[in-house]
Amino acid sequence: MTGLSFTGAALAWAAASWAQGRLLRDVGRHHLVRAGAVVLAVAGLFAIAGSYPETPAFTAAAALILAGGGMGMLVPCLTVLSLSHSPAHWQGYASSAMQTMQNLGQVTVMGLAAAVFAIGSDSGTGSGSGSTRAGLLFG
């Protein structure tokens, strides 16, 4: 299931990125950013629902695929918007700042998620469940 989920997410990301650049060229970039954010929010809800033992594994897989589609729509549009609002002589700076912040954001979220999951892991008590950890992580 994991391999299919990641493959689906990669394909959804690529398809959404292609669609926003080719098929949705006449739609304002800020509208596509909003749409991508909504898709990501729905994916987050699916991920929370998928963390409960009562839900099928497909729920979490669908969350990853939806998130891939949202990111494929969101990230390229943010890049285009950021560069279009930057003067020509600042575009290199803007591009490097975006990449740096994206990487820092990913590392920070990964570290926080690892810490939350370590809190609920089998560290002698065995009292942490998947839904408890997801509740701590998502609010």
Side-chain angles (χ1 to χ4, degrees):
M1 180 69 79
T2 303
L4 291 174
S5 302
F6 278 103
T7 301
L11 292 174
W13 189 315
S17 181
W18 179 85
Q20 65 82 29
R22 302 283 192 303
L23 301 177
L24 303 173
R25 197 174 294 170
D26 297 332
V27 178
R29 295 283 176 189
H30 59 285
H31 293 300
L32 295 174
V33 168
R34 188 176 303 127
V38 168
V39 171
L40 280 174
V42 170
L45 294 174
F46 269 76
I48 292 169
S51 70
Y52 291 99
E54 301 84 24
T55 58
F58 179 78
T59 308
L64 188 59
I65 294 168
L66 276 172
M71 291 297 289
M73 188 173 296
L74 182 83
V75 172
C77 289
L78 285 177
T79 302
V80 169
L81 284 171
S82 296
L83 293 177
S84 69
H85 291 302
S86 299
H89 64 280
W90 283 101
Q91 287 182 348
Y93 176 81
S95 176
S96 65
M98 282 187 303
Q99 275 192 320
T100 300
M101 292 310 297
Q102 285 173 351
N103 289 333
L104 283 174
Q106 290 170 356
V107 167
T108 302
V109 169
M110 186 73 79
L112 290 172
V116 167
F117 281 100
I119 289 169
S121 70
D122 189 13
S123 58
T125 63
S127 61
S129 69
S131 59
T132 302
R133 289 178 287 202
L136 289 171
L137 184 61
F138 293 111

